[in-house]
Amino acid sequence: MKEELTKHSVVLFQQKGFSETSIQDIVDSIGVTKGTFYYYFTSKEMLLMEIHERYIDDLLNRQKAILEQIESYRAKIVGIVKLIIHDLQTQGPNGRIYFREMRNLAPENVEKIKKKREAFRLNVEQVLRDGIQAGEFRENLQPKMIAFAILGVTNWSYQWFNPSGDVSVQELADMYVDFILNGIISERD
Amino acid sequence: MKEELTKHSVVLFQQKGFSETSIQDIVDSIGVTKGTFYYYFTSKEMLLMEIHERYIDDLLNRQKAILEQIESYRAKIVGIVKLIIHDLQTQGPNGRIYFREMRNLAPENVEKIKKKREAFRLNVEQVLRDGIQAGEFRENLQPKMIAFAILGVTNWSYQWFNPSGDVSVQELADMYVDFILNGIISERD
């Protein structure tokens, strides 16, 4: 039931926005009472926090696996880009809420999520820094700014990409890997 | 006064979000009455529309000048990237509201703004298409997807860039021009 509540809320938050969605809307969408909601969550904000936390924890875990298991820095970047783009298929609505509704969390929760988002970005930055030193990436790159550029390409796709359109997430991931690698590698293939 | 109302609203909308900001909050922030507000705007939504429309009309006009006055496709892309990044300095709050609050417009207004945003993006797509044909850009690029990638890099910066930080908008623009051109040009310099 907790899973159900979360899933339906994600759909409603995406359609109407967090502020415009009431707990009544959420429970109506599954046909339960408010009592059921309050059994699992103390507030709508707590539910939003749950959505944010699950999403970023999952991303961080999978990023960690990429960082540990893959050798070259170039391939680590490819892995991280593909991770985010492939998620468009299954995590699109979660991602959009994650990018849009963070300001509706309580300040202490915003801080928690911001730290985790930052950790994800700093890992990308570190790969770039190490890759520059190893000669894989161009030495004039500023790792911090380029990490933001890469995440701009991937995260922006959550604003517009339609996984049911004529480009698949696999095709999109390949194009973006190509675009990003050309933007950073020290020699053309 | 209309200008004042718009300017203060932008600040409030950015801090608290559009839904959470009342007309009372807006008039209180300048010390006028609600009557003054309603003299210029029929509703809070109309004010939001004014912010959106001014912002995109201005961008489209300046994009048009770039497209008409600059010769090479490569330089047109450079011009458009610099346009968006340099605006971070002066248009940051407008840009953030533009990217975040569109869903609070009335459906017919959303359509109007969407068409204009699309026009801006389609112009980028056209430059890419023409530049591929002219041999300036790699021929394996998919203009539509790459236009979104470029706008991802530039637009995402409105989410995180601090113009008072240790990187200037000029430096950021140069780095992003370099990153993007390397991602698309057909030959390295």
Side-chain angles (χ1 to χ4, degrees), chain A residues 19-20 101 103 138 145 148-149 153 155-156 160 176 178 182 185 188, chain B residues 19-20 103 138 145 148-149 153 155-156 160 176 178 182 185 188:
Chain A
S19 303
E20 291 76 8
E101 305 285 6
R103 72 181 188 282
R138 303 205 316 274
M145 298 298 134
F148 275 120
V153 174
N155 296 353
W156 193 250
W160 60 269
Y176 282 3
D178 185 51
N182 275 298
I185 52 173
R188 284 239 161 161
Chain B
S19 303
E20 291 77 8
R103 72 180 188 281
R138 304 204 317 272
M145 298 298 134
F148 275 121
V153 174
N155 296 352
W156 192 251
W160 61 268
Y176 282 2
D178 185 52
N182 276 297
I185 52 172
R188 285 245 156 157

PDB file of all heavy atoms in Angstrom, chain A residues 19-20 101 103 138 145 148-149 153 155-156 160 176 178 182 185 188, chain B residues 19-20 103 138 145 148-149 153 155-156 160 176 178 182 185 188:
ATOM      1  N   SER A  19       2.090  21.222  -4.898  1.00  0.00           N
ATOM      2  CA  SER A  19       1.260  22.140  -4.097  1.00  0.00           C
ATOM      3  C   SER A  19      -0.218  22.004  -4.437  1.00  0.00           C
ATOM      4  O   SER A  19      -1.075  22.199  -3.588  1.00  0.00           O
ATOM      5  CB  SER A  19       1.687  23.588  -4.320  1.00  0.00           C
ATOM      6  OG  SER A  19       3.039  23.743  -4.006  1.00  0.00           O
ATOM      7  N   GLU A  20      -0.498  21.726  -5.700  1.00  0.00           N
ATOM      8  CA  GLU A  20      -1.880  21.666  -6.162  1.00  0.00           C
ATOM      9  C   GLU A  20      -2.521  20.296  -5.928  1.00  0.00           C
ATOM     10  O   GLU A  20      -3.700  20.114  -6.217  1.00  0.00           O
ATOM     11  CB  GLU A  20      -1.951  22.022  -7.653  1.00  0.00           C
ATOM     12  CG  GLU A  20      -1.634  23.477  -7.974  1.00  0.00           C
ATOM     13  CD  GLU A  20      -0.148  23.814  -7.925  1.00  0.00           C
ATOM     14  OE1 GLU A  20       0.675  22.879  -7.779  1.00  0.00           O
ATOM     15  OE2 GLU A  20       0.197  25.007  -7.998  1.00  0.00           O
ATOM     16  N   GLU A 101      10.295  19.595  -7.690  1.00  0.00           N
ATOM     17  CA  GLU A 101       9.540  19.837  -6.464  1.00  0.00           C
ATOM     18  C   GLU A 101      10.394  19.905  -5.202  1.00  0.00           C
ATOM     19  O   GLU A 101       9.855  19.952  -4.103  1.00  0.00           O
ATOM     20  CB  GLU A 101       8.441  18.771  -6.291  1.00  0.00           C
ATOM     21  CG  GLU A 101       7.490  18.621  -7.467  1.00  0.00           C
ATOM     22  CD  GLU A 101       6.461  19.768  -7.572  1.00  0.00           C
ATOM     23  OE1 GLU A 101       6.548  20.749  -6.801  1.00  0.00           O
ATOM     24  OE2 GLU A 101       5.572  19.668  -8.442  1.00  0.00           O
ATOM     25  N   ARG A 103      11.894  22.175  -3.800  1.00  0.00           N
ATOM     26  CA  ARG A 103      11.669  23.347  -2.934  1.00  0.00           C
ATOM     27  C   ARG A 103      10.479  23.169  -1.998  1.00  0.00           C
ATOM     28  O   ARG A 103      10.297  23.961  -1.082  1.00  0.00           O
ATOM     29  CB  ARG A 103      11.517  24.608  -3.764  1.00  0.00           C
ATOM     30  CG  ARG A 103      10.216  24.706  -4.535  1.00  0.00           C
ATOM     31  CD  ARG A 103      10.202  26.007  -5.347  1.00  0.00           C
ATOM     32  NE  ARG A 103       8.908  26.256  -5.962  1.00  0.00           N
ATOM     33  CZ  ARG A 103       8.464  25.658  -7.055  1.00  0.00           C
ATOM     34  NH1 ARG A 103       9.206  24.745  -7.661  1.00  0.00           N
ATOM     35  NH2 ARG A 103       7.287  25.966  -7.564  1.00  0.00           N
ATOM     36  N   ARG A 138      40.770  16.186 -22.281  1.00  0.00           N
ATOM     37  CA  ARG A 138      41.544  17.399 -22.593  1.00  0.00           C
ATOM     38  C   ARG A 138      41.963  18.119 -21.308  1.00  0.00           C
ATOM     39  O   ARG A 138      41.179  18.236 -20.365  1.00  0.00           O
ATOM     40  CB  ARG A 138      40.709  18.362 -23.452  1.00  0.00           C
ATOM     41  CG  ARG A 138      40.218  17.736 -24.745  1.00  0.00           C
ATOM     42  CD  ARG A 138      39.931  18.756 -25.841  1.00  0.00           C
ATOM     43  NE  ARG A 138      39.213  19.924 -25.375  1.00  0.00           N
ATOM     44  CZ  ARG A 138      37.885  20.009 -25.279  1.00  0.00           C
ATOM     45  NH1 ARG A 138      37.137  18.962 -25.611  1.00  0.00           N
ATOM     46  NH2 ARG A 138      37.314  21.103 -24.866  1.00  0.00           N
ATOM     47  N   MET A 145      32.793  22.705 -13.957  1.00  0.00           N
ATOM     48  CA  MET A 145      31.877  23.264 -14.941  1.00  0.00           C
ATOM     49  C   MET A 145      31.461  22.236 -15.987  1.00  0.00           C
ATOM     50  O   MET A 145      30.329  22.236 -16.464  1.00  0.00           O
ATOM     51  CB  MET A 145      32.525  24.484 -15.638  1.00  0.00           C
ATOM     52  CG  MET A 145      32.849  25.620 -14.683  1.00  0.00           C
ATOM     53  SD  MET A 145      31.356  26.286 -13.874  1.00  0.00           S
ATOM     54  CE  MET A 145      31.905  26.395 -12.165  1.00  0.00           C
ATOM     55  N   PHE A 148      28.815  19.883 -14.653  1.00  0.00           N
ATOM     56  CA  PHE A 148      27.491  20.499 -14.780  1.00  0.00           C
ATOM     57  C   PHE A 148      26.979  20.447 -16.226  1.00  0.00           C
ATOM     58  O   PHE A 148      25.786  20.282 -16.460  1.00  0.00           O
ATOM     59  CB  PHE A 148      27.530  21.963 -14.309  1.00  0.00           C
ATOM     60  CG  PHE A 148      27.354  22.152 -12.831  1.00  0.00           C
ATOM     61  CD1 PHE A 148      28.341  22.770 -12.061  1.00  0.00           C
ATOM     62  CD2 PHE A 148      26.182  21.749 -12.191  1.00  0.00           C
ATOM     63  CE1 PHE A 148      28.170  22.979 -10.692  1.00  0.00           C
ATOM     64  CE2 PHE A 148      26.011  21.953 -10.825  1.00  0.00           C
ATOM     65  CZ  PHE A 148      27.006  22.564 -10.067  1.00  0.00           C
ATOM     66  N   ALA A 149      27.890  20.614 -17.182  1.00  0.00           N
ATOM     67  CA  ALA A 149      27.483  20.573 -18.594  1.00  0.00           C
ATOM     68  C   ALA A 149      26.965  19.183 -18.960  1.00  0.00           C
ATOM     69  O   ALA A 149      25.927  19.037 -19.611  1.00  0.00           O
ATOM     70  CB  ALA A 149      28.657  20.960 -19.495  1.00  0.00           C
ATOM     71  N   VAL A 153      23.070  18.081 -20.083  1.00  0.00           N
ATOM     72  CA  VAL A 153      22.616  17.295 -21.241  1.00  0.00           C
ATOM     73  C   VAL A 153      21.679  16.174 -20.782  1.00  0.00           C
ATOM     74  O   VAL A 153      20.594  15.992 -21.325  1.00  0.00           O
ATOM     75  CB  VAL A 153      23.822  16.687 -22.002  1.00  0.00           C
ATOM     76  CG1 VAL A 153      23.343  15.758 -23.111  1.00  0.00           C
ATOM     77  CG2 VAL A 153      24.706  17.789 -22.570  1.00  0.00           C
ATOM     78  N   ASN A 155      20.172  15.624 -17.659  1.00  0.00           N
ATOM     79  CA  ASN A 155      19.014  15.959 -16.825  1.00  0.00           C
ATOM     80  C   ASN A 155      17.944  16.718 -17.605  1.00  0.00           C
ATOM     81  O   ASN A 155      16.756  16.574 -17.341  1.00  0.00           O
ATOM     82  CB  ASN A 155      19.449  16.797 -15.618  1.00  0.00           C
ATOM     83  CG  ASN A 155      20.369  16.016 -14.697  1.00  0.00           C
ATOM     84  OD1 ASN A 155      20.574  14.823 -14.887  1.00  0.00           O
ATOM     85  ND2 ASN A 155      20.932  16.688 -13.706  1.00  0.00           N
ATOM     86  N   TRP A 156      18.386  17.547 -18.543  1.00  0.00           N
ATOM     87  CA  TRP A 156      17.409  18.314 -19.331  1.00  0.00           C
ATOM     88  C   TRP A 156      16.479  17.398 -20.111  1.00  0.00           C
ATOM     89  O   TRP A 156      15.324  17.737 -20.382  1.00  0.00           O
ATOM     90  CB  TRP A 156      18.146  19.278 -20.279  1.00  0.00           C
ATOM     91  CG  TRP A 156      17.245  20.297 -20.884  1.00  0.00           C
ATOM     92  CD1 TRP A 156      16.847  20.379 -22.197  1.00  0.00           C
ATOM     93  CD2 TRP A 156      16.600  21.398 -20.217  1.00  0.00           C
ATOM     94  NE1 TRP A 156      16.009  21.454 -22.374  1.00  0.00           N
ATOM     95  CE2 TRP A 156      15.845  22.084 -21.181  1.00  0.00           C
ATOM     96  CE3 TRP A 156      16.598  21.847 -18.886  1.00  0.00           C
ATOM     97  CZ2 TRP A 156      15.079  23.217 -20.856  1.00  0.00           C
ATOM     98  CZ3 TRP A 156      15.842  22.967 -18.574  1.00  0.00           C
ATOM     99  CH2 TRP A 156      15.092  23.630 -19.553  1.00  0.00           C
ATOM    100  N   TRP A 160      11.854  16.982 -21.658  1.00  0.00           N
ATOM    101  CA  TRP A 160      11.256  16.962 -22.992  1.00  0.00           C
ATOM    102  C   TRP A 160      11.160  15.583 -23.623  1.00  0.00           C
ATOM    103  O   TRP A 160      10.339  15.365 -24.501  1.00  0.00           O
ATOM    104  CB  TRP A 160      12.058  17.864 -23.947  1.00  0.00           C
ATOM    105  CG  TRP A 160      13.490  17.429 -24.086  1.00  0.00           C
ATOM    106  CD1 TRP A 160      14.558  17.842 -23.331  1.00  0.00           C
ATOM    107  CD2 TRP A 160      14.012  16.459 -24.989  1.00  0.00           C
ATOM    108  NE1 TRP A 160      15.702  17.196 -23.721  1.00  0.00           N
ATOM    109  CE2 TRP A 160      15.391  16.345 -24.736  1.00  0.00           C
ATOM    110  CE3 TRP A 160      13.443  15.677 -26.006  1.00  0.00           C
ATOM    111  CZ2 TRP A 160      16.213  15.472 -25.447  1.00  0.00           C
ATOM    112  CZ3 TRP A 160      14.256  14.805 -26.712  1.00  0.00           C
ATOM    113  CH2 TRP A 160      15.628  14.715 -26.420  1.00  0.00           C
ATOM    114  N   TYR A 176      24.128  10.907 -27.107  1.00  0.00           N
ATOM    115  CA  TYR A 176      24.629  11.809 -26.068  1.00  0.00           C
ATOM    116  C   TYR A 176      26.006  11.398 -25.566  1.00  0.00           C
ATOM    117  O   TYR A 176      26.842  12.237 -25.235  1.00  0.00           O
ATOM    118  CB  TYR A 176      23.598  11.947 -24.943  1.00  0.00           C
ATOM    119  CG  TYR A 176      22.476  12.892 -25.343  1.00  0.00           C
ATOM    120  CD1 TYR A 176      22.439  13.471 -26.624  1.00  0.00           C
ATOM    121  CD2 TYR A 176      21.464  13.230 -24.470  1.00  0.00           C
ATOM    122  CE1 TYR A 176      21.433  14.339 -27.004  1.00  0.00           C
ATOM    123  CE2 TYR A 176      20.440  14.113 -24.842  1.00  0.00           C
ATOM    124  CZ  TYR A 176      20.432  14.656 -26.111  1.00  0.00           C
ATOM    125  OH  TYR A 176      19.436  15.528 -26.484  1.00  0.00           O
ATOM    126  N   ASP A 178      28.225  10.073 -27.486  1.00  0.00           N
ATOM    127  CA  ASP A 178      29.071  10.529 -28.585  1.00  0.00           C
ATOM    128  C   ASP A 178      29.326  12.038 -28.484  1.00  0.00           C
ATOM    129  O   ASP A 178      30.467  12.507 -28.566  1.00  0.00           O
ATOM    130  CB  ASP A 178      28.344  10.190 -29.897  1.00  0.00           C
ATOM    131  CG  ASP A 178      29.180  10.504 -31.104  1.00  0.00           C
ATOM    132  OD1 ASP A 178      30.337  10.064 -31.139  1.00  0.00           O
ATOM    133  OD2 ASP A 178      28.677  11.208 -32.012  1.00  0.00           O
ATOM    134  N   ASN A 182      33.046  13.506 -27.458  1.00  0.00           N
ATOM    135  CA  ASN A 182      33.731  14.414 -28.371  1.00  0.00           C
ATOM    136  C   ASN A 182      34.036  15.742 -27.695  1.00  0.00           C
ATOM    137  O   ASN A 182      35.015  16.404 -28.022  1.00  0.00           O
ATOM    138  CB  ASN A 182      32.899  14.638 -29.629  1.00  0.00           C
ATOM    139  CG  ASN A 182      33.152  13.545 -30.658  1.00  0.00           C
ATOM    140  OD1 ASN A 182      34.257  13.389 -31.142  1.00  0.00           O
ATOM    141  ND2 ASN A 182      32.128  12.762 -30.937  1.00  0.00           N
ATOM    142  N   ILE A 185      37.111  14.286 -24.792  1.00  0.00           N
ATOM    143  CA  ILE A 185      38.302  13.421 -24.938  1.00  0.00           C
ATOM    144  C   ILE A 185      39.461  14.183 -25.578  1.00  0.00           C
ATOM    145  O   ILE A 185      39.268  15.104 -26.362  1.00  0.00           O
ATOM    146  CB  ILE A 185      38.046  12.120 -25.743  1.00  0.00           C
ATOM    147  CG1 ILE A 185      37.383  12.443 -27.073  1.00  0.00           C
ATOM    148  CG2 ILE A 185      37.264  11.115 -24.923  1.00  0.00           C
ATOM    149  CD1 ILE A 185      37.266  11.236 -27.988  1.00  0.00           C
ATOM    150  N   ARG A 188      40.685  12.680 -30.952  1.00  0.00           N
ATOM    151  CA  ARG A 188      39.581  12.033 -31.696  1.00  0.00           C
ATOM    152  C   ARG A 188      39.947  10.602 -32.026  1.00  0.00           C
ATOM    153  O   ARG A 188      41.117  10.281 -32.209  1.00  0.00           O
ATOM    154  CB  ARG A 188      39.356  12.778 -33.015  1.00  0.00           C
ATOM    155  CG  ARG A 188      38.648  14.058 -32.793  1.00  0.00           C
ATOM    156  CD  ARG A 188      37.370  14.072 -33.564  1.00  0.00           C
ATOM    157  NE  ARG A 188      36.529  15.096 -32.965  1.00  0.00           N
ATOM    158  CZ  ARG A 188      35.507  15.628 -33.563  1.00  0.00           C
ATOM    159  NH1 ARG A 188      35.160  15.237 -34.760  1.00  0.00           N
ATOM    160  NH2 ARG A 188      34.791  16.539 -32.965  1.00  0.00           N
TER     161      ARG A 188
ATOM    162  N   SER B  19       2.768  29.430  -6.858  1.00  0.00           N
ATOM    163  CA  SER B  19       1.537  29.059  -6.140  1.00  0.00           C
ATOM    164  C   SER B  19       1.536  29.577  -4.710  1.00  0.00           C
ATOM    165  O   SER B  19       0.492  29.885  -4.158  1.00  0.00           O
ATOM    166  CB  SER B  19       1.369  27.543  -6.109  1.00  0.00           C
ATOM    167  OG  SER B  19       1.364  27.044  -7.416  1.00  0.00           O
ATOM    168  N   GLU B  20       2.723  29.642  -4.114  1.00  0.00           N
ATOM    169  CA  GLU B  20       2.826  30.015  -2.708  1.00  0.00           C
ATOM    170  C   GLU B  20       2.891  31.543  -2.514  1.00  0.00           C
ATOM    171  O   GLU B  20       2.923  32.021  -1.387  1.00  0.00           O
ATOM    172  CB  GLU B  20       4.058  29.353  -2.072  1.00  0.00           C
ATOM    173  CG  GLU B  20       3.948  27.837  -1.912  1.00  0.00           C
ATOM    174  CD  GLU B  20       4.164  27.071  -3.220  1.00  0.00           C
ATOM    175  OE1 GLU B  20       4.543  27.694  -4.235  1.00  0.00           O
ATOM    176  OE2 GLU B  20       3.923  25.850  -3.235  1.00  0.00           O
ATOM    177  N   ARG B 103       3.778  25.680 -15.976  1.00  0.00           N
ATOM    178  CA  ARG B 103       2.565  24.896 -15.774  1.00  0.00           C
ATOM    179  C   ARG B 103       1.472  25.656 -15.028  1.00  0.00           C
ATOM    180  O   ARG B 103       0.326  25.218 -14.975  1.00  0.00           O
ATOM    181  CB  ARG B 103       2.876  23.574 -15.068  1.00  0.00           C
ATOM    182  CG  ARG B 103       3.236  23.725 -13.598  1.00  0.00           C
ATOM    183  CD  ARG B 103       3.528  22.350 -13.009  1.00  0.00           C
ATOM    184  NE  ARG B 103       3.702  22.383 -11.570  1.00  0.00           N
ATOM    185  CZ  ARG B 103       4.818  22.780 -10.956  1.00  0.00           C
ATOM    186  NH1 ARG B 103       5.842  23.217 -11.655  1.00  0.00           N
ATOM    187  NH2 ARG B 103       4.893  22.757  -9.633  1.00  0.00           N
ATOM    188  N   ARG B 138      29.589  17.439 -37.865  1.00  0.00           N
ATOM    189  CA  ARG B 138      29.660  16.015 -38.184  1.00  0.00           C
ATOM    190  C   ARG B 138      28.357  15.524 -38.809  1.00  0.00           C
ATOM    191  O   ARG B 138      27.270  15.892 -38.359  1.00  0.00           O
ATOM    192  CB  ARG B 138      29.946  15.194 -36.914  1.00  0.00           C
ATOM    193  CG  ARG B 138      31.209  15.618 -36.192  1.00  0.00           C
ATOM    194  CD  ARG B 138      31.808  14.523 -35.315  1.00  0.00           C
ATOM    195  NE  ARG B 138      30.825  13.797 -34.536  1.00  0.00           N
ATOM    196  CZ  ARG B 138      30.415  14.173 -33.326  1.00  0.00           C
ATOM    197  NH1 ARG B 138      30.916  15.256 -32.761  1.00  0.00           N
ATOM    198  NH2 ARG B 138      29.535  13.471 -32.670  1.00  0.00           N
ATOM    199  N   MET B 145      17.942  16.010 -31.682  1.00  0.00           N
ATOM    200  CA  MET B 145      18.440  15.551 -30.382  1.00  0.00           C
ATOM    201  C   MET B 145      19.633  16.391 -29.909  1.00  0.00           C
ATOM    202  O   MET B 145      19.807  16.633 -28.720  1.00  0.00           O
ATOM    203  CB  MET B 145      18.843  14.062 -30.453  1.00  0.00           C
ATOM    204  CG  MET B 145      17.684  13.144 -30.796  1.00  0.00           C
ATOM    205  SD  MET B 145      16.361  13.218 -29.532  1.00  0.00           S
ATOM    206  CE  MET B 145      14.898  13.344 -30.556  1.00  0.00           C
ATOM    207  N   PHE B 148      18.544  19.726 -28.482  1.00  0.00           N
ATOM    208  CA  PHE B 148      18.140  19.553 -27.075  1.00  0.00           C
ATOM    209  C   PHE B 148      19.362  19.415 -26.158  1.00  0.00           C
ATOM    210  O   PHE B 148      19.347  19.894 -25.026  1.00  0.00           O
ATOM    211  CB  PHE B 148      17.253  18.313 -26.922  1.00  0.00           C
ATOM    212  CG  PHE B 148      15.789  18.549 -27.190  1.00  0.00           C
ATOM    213  CD1 PHE B 148      15.122  17.855 -28.191  1.00  0.00           C
ATOM    214  CD2 PHE B 148      15.058  19.456 -26.430  1.00  0.00           C
ATOM    215  CE1 PHE B 148      13.757  18.049 -28.429  1.00  0.00           C
ATOM    216  CE2 PHE B 148      13.693  19.651 -26.656  1.00  0.00           C
ATOM    217  CZ  PHE B 148      13.049  18.955 -27.657  1.00  0.00           C
ATOM    218  N   ALA B 149      20.405  18.741 -26.649  1.00  0.00           N
ATOM    219  CA  ALA B 149      21.609  18.570 -25.828  1.00  0.00           C
ATOM    220  C   ALA B 149      22.269  19.928 -25.562  1.00  0.00           C
ATOM    221  O   ALA B 149      22.662  20.239 -24.432  1.00  0.00           O
ATOM    222  CB  ALA B 149      22.598  17.625 -26.521  1.00  0.00           C
ATOM    223  N   VAL B 153      22.726  21.924 -21.898  1.00  0.00           N
ATOM    224  CA  VAL B 153      23.933  22.513 -21.292  1.00  0.00           C
ATOM    225  C   VAL B 153      23.646  23.946 -20.851  1.00  0.00           C
ATOM    226  O   VAL B 153      23.935  24.343 -19.719  1.00  0.00           O
ATOM    227  CB  VAL B 153      25.120  22.499 -22.290  1.00  0.00           C
ATOM    228  CG1 VAL B 153      26.316  23.238 -21.711  1.00  0.00           C
ATOM    229  CG2 VAL B 153      25.488  21.073 -22.659  1.00  0.00           C
ATOM    230  N   ASN B 155      20.610  25.701 -20.619  1.00  0.00           N
ATOM    231  CA  ASN B 155      19.460  25.960 -19.743  1.00  0.00           C
ATOM    232  C   ASN B 155      19.672  25.429 -18.336  1.00  0.00           C
ATOM    233  O   ASN B 155      19.189  25.995 -17.366  1.00  0.00           O
ATOM    234  CB  ASN B 155      18.185  25.347 -20.340  1.00  0.00           C
ATOM    235  CG  ASN B 155      17.821  25.992 -21.666  1.00  0.00           C
ATOM    236  OD1 ASN B 155      18.426  26.983 -22.065  1.00  0.00           O
ATOM    237  ND2 ASN B 155      16.833  25.441 -22.339  1.00  0.00           N
ATOM    238  N   TRP B 156      20.374  24.300 -18.234  1.00  0.00           N
ATOM    239  CA  TRP B 156      20.613  23.716 -16.908  1.00  0.00           C
ATOM    240  C   TRP B 156      21.391  24.682 -16.017  1.00  0.00           C
ATOM    241  O   TRP B 156      21.249  24.681 -14.798  1.00  0.00           O
ATOM    242  CB  TRP B 156      21.345  22.374 -17.047  1.00  0.00           C
ATOM    243  CG  TRP B 156      21.361  21.591 -15.775  1.00  0.00           C
ATOM    244  CD1 TRP B 156      22.430  21.356 -14.961  1.00  0.00           C
ATOM    245  CD2 TRP B 156      20.245  20.948 -15.151  1.00  0.00           C
ATOM    246  NE1 TRP B 156      22.047  20.610 -13.881  1.00  0.00           N
ATOM    247  CE2 TRP B 156      20.712  20.340 -13.974  1.00  0.00           C
ATOM    248  CE3 TRP B 156      18.888  20.823 -15.483  1.00  0.00           C
ATOM    249  CZ2 TRP B 156      19.876  19.621 -13.111  1.00  0.00           C
ATOM    250  CZ3 TRP B 156      18.052  20.111 -14.630  1.00  0.00           C
ATOM    251  CH2 TRP B 156      18.551  19.528 -13.460  1.00  0.00           C
ATOM    252  N   TRP B 160      21.833  26.187 -11.386  1.00  0.00           N
ATOM    253  CA  TRP B 160      22.915  26.079 -10.404  1.00  0.00           C
ATOM    254  C   TRP B 160      23.922  27.213 -10.440  1.00  0.00           C
ATOM    255  O   TRP B 160      24.613  27.445  -9.449  1.00  0.00           O
ATOM    256  CB  TRP B 160      23.686  24.760 -10.614  1.00  0.00           C
ATOM    257  CG  TRP B 160      24.309  24.668 -11.972  1.00  0.00           C
ATOM    258  CD1 TRP B 160      23.753  24.104 -13.089  1.00  0.00           C
ATOM    259  CD2 TRP B 160      25.576  25.179 -12.389  1.00  0.00           C
ATOM    260  NE1 TRP B 160      24.594  24.233 -14.164  1.00  0.00           N
ATOM    261  CE2 TRP B 160      25.725  24.893 -13.766  1.00  0.00           C
ATOM    262  CE3 TRP B 160      26.618  25.845 -11.737  1.00  0.00           C
ATOM    263  CZ2 TRP B 160      26.851  25.254 -14.494  1.00  0.00           C
ATOM    264  CZ3 TRP B 160      27.743  26.213 -12.458  1.00  0.00           C
ATOM    265  CH2 TRP B 160      27.850  25.912 -13.828  1.00  0.00           C
ATOM    266  N   TYR B 176      31.740  26.475 -22.315  1.00  0.00           N
ATOM    267  CA  TYR B 176      30.618  25.729 -22.891  1.00  0.00           C
ATOM    268  C   TYR B 176      30.615  25.789 -24.410  1.00  0.00           C
ATOM    269  O   TYR B 176      30.235  24.818 -25.075  1.00  0.00           O
ATOM    270  CB  TYR B 176      29.300  26.209 -22.275  1.00  0.00           C
ATOM    271  CG  TYR B 176      29.097  25.624 -20.887  1.00  0.00           C
ATOM    272  CD1 TYR B 176      30.080  24.805 -20.310  1.00  0.00           C
ATOM    273  CD2 TYR B 176      27.933  25.840 -20.162  1.00  0.00           C
ATOM    274  CE1 TYR B 176      29.913  24.248 -19.042  1.00  0.00           C
ATOM    275  CE2 TYR B 176      27.755  25.282 -18.893  1.00  0.00           C
ATOM    276  CZ  TYR B 176      28.750  24.493 -18.342  1.00  0.00           C
ATOM    277  OH  TYR B 176      28.573  23.932 -17.097  1.00  0.00           O
ATOM    278  N   ASP B 178      33.333  25.829 -26.130  1.00  0.00           N
ATOM    279  CA  ASP B 178      34.392  24.876 -26.454  1.00  0.00           C
ATOM    280  C   ASP B 178      33.872  23.429 -26.357  1.00  0.00           C
ATOM    281  O   ASP B 178      34.066  22.621 -27.271  1.00  0.00           O
ATOM    282  CB  ASP B 178      35.539  25.115 -25.451  1.00  0.00           C
ATOM    283  CG  ASP B 178      36.742  24.269 -25.748  1.00  0.00           C
ATOM    284  OD1 ASP B 178      37.195  24.297 -26.901  1.00  0.00           O
ATOM    285  OD2 ASP B 178      37.224  23.571 -24.837  1.00  0.00           O
ATOM    286  N   ASN B 182      33.334  21.139 -29.736  1.00  0.00           N
ATOM    287  CA  ASN B 182      34.049  19.864 -29.852  1.00  0.00           C
ATOM    288  C   ASN B 182      33.065  18.712 -30.035  1.00  0.00           C
ATOM    289  O   ASN B 182      33.375  17.723 -30.686  1.00  0.00           O
ATOM    290  CB  ASN B 182      34.935  19.617 -28.640  1.00  0.00           C
ATOM    291  CG  ASN B 182      36.273  20.304 -28.781  1.00  0.00           C
ATOM    292  OD1 ASN B 182      37.038  19.988 -29.678  1.00  0.00           O
ATOM    293  ND2 ASN B 182      36.525  21.282 -27.935  1.00  0.00           N
ATOM    294  N   ILE B 185      31.620  19.766 -34.156  1.00  0.00           N
ATOM    295  CA  ILE B 185      32.321  20.117 -35.405  1.00  0.00           C
ATOM    296  C   ILE B 185      32.930  18.906 -36.082  1.00  0.00           C
ATOM    297  O   ILE B 185      33.301  17.930 -35.438  1.00  0.00           O
ATOM    298  CB  ILE B 185      33.423  21.194 -35.221  1.00  0.00           C
ATOM    299  CG1 ILE B 185      34.371  20.803 -34.096  1.00  0.00           C
ATOM    300  CG2 ILE B 185      32.808  22.562 -34.988  1.00  0.00           C
ATOM    301  CD1 ILE B 185      35.580  21.706 -33.984  1.00  0.00           C
ATOM    302  N   ARG B 188      38.623  18.583 -35.870  1.00  0.00           N
ATOM    303  CA  ARG B 188      39.259  19.326 -34.786  1.00  0.00           C
ATOM    304  C   ARG B 188      40.085  20.469 -35.356  1.00  0.00           C
ATOM    305  O   ARG B 188      40.604  20.369 -36.454  1.00  0.00           O
ATOM    306  CB  ARG B 188      40.198  18.402 -33.996  1.00  0.00           C
ATOM    307  CG  ARG B 188      39.450  17.460 -33.113  1.00  0.00           C
ATOM    308  CD  ARG B 188      39.751  17.765 -31.680  1.00  0.00           C
ATOM    309  NE  ARG B 188      38.631  17.255 -30.881  1.00  0.00           N
ATOM    310  CZ  ARG B 188      38.738  16.959 -29.607  1.00  0.00           C
ATOM    311  NH1 ARG B 188      39.878  17.136 -28.965  1.00  0.00           N
ATOM    312  NH2 ARG B 188      37.696  16.521 -28.948  1.00  0.00           N
TER     313      ARG B 188
END
